[in-house]
């Protein structure tokens, strides 16, 4: 996709942004009530628990929504590209805003199964999705 703005790694989000190093998507989970928490938070929004742990999750999901961006917002950005909201198969309530790669916009459909792949950029592994 070309140029990307990368996230700043913090103690709270590093487990998510570096999980792709071993090709596993990881989402925080509350050890007290088993709720999935994304984006990362220092406290469980359901039970206010503080014991949170990054857990590996399925690499499959479903396209919930998408749009095709034709505007280059930063110099040298490659357009068009697809921005999507993907729900993860085994994490109820978790949705990732991501890019769909390896597919044309007219091939995408709401409800389409997708799988994660990672793009390594400096010290982060960006979770992107492609049709399953």
């Amino acid at each position: 996709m070309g140029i990307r703005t990368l996230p700043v790694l913090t103690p709270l989000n590093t487990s998510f942004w570096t999980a792709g190093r071993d090709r596993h998507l990881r989402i925080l989970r509350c050890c007290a009530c088993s709720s999935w928490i994304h984006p990362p938070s220092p406290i469980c929004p359901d039970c206010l628990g503080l014991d949170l742990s990054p857990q590996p999750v399925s690499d499959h999901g479903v396209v919930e929504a998408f749009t095709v961006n034709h505007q280059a917002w930063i110099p040298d950005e490659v357009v068009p590209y697809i921005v999507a909201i993907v729900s993860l198969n085994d994490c109820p309530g978790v949705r990732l805003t991501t890019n769909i790669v390896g597919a044309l916009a007219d091939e995408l459909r709401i409800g389409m199964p997708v799988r994660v792949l990672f793009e390594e950029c400096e010290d982060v592994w960006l979770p992107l999705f492609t049709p399953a």
Side-chain angles (χ1 to χ4, degrees), residues 31-125:
C31 296
C33 74
S34 298
S35 292
W36 295 103
I37 303 159
H38 190 79
S41 170
I43 188 168
C44 176
D46 292 331
C47 76
L48 305 181
L50 300 174
D51 188 10
L52 310 177
S53 174
Q55 299 295 312
V57 297
S58 168
D59 63 348
H60 286 79
V62 173
V63 174
E64 298 291 340
F66 69 92
T67 189
V68 180
N69 182 60
H70 295 274
Q71 173 67 44
W73 297 104
I74 56 178
D76 301 322
E77 185 173 40
V78 177
V79 292
Y81 60 89
I82 301 166
V83 178
I85 297 174
V86 171
S87 61
L88 300 177
N89 286 358
D90 58 356
C91 299
V94 172
R95 292 183 174 184
L96 302 180
T97 302
T98 184
N99 294 123
I100 303 292
V101 296
L104 299 173
D106 61 356
E107 299 171 335
L108 287 182
R109 299 289 179 264
I110 302 302
M112 174 183 270
V114 290
R115 66 177 172 77
V116 74
L117 53 86
F118 295 94
E119 180 180 305
E120 182 180 355
C121 297
E122 297 177 18
D123 55 352
V124 301
W125 283 259

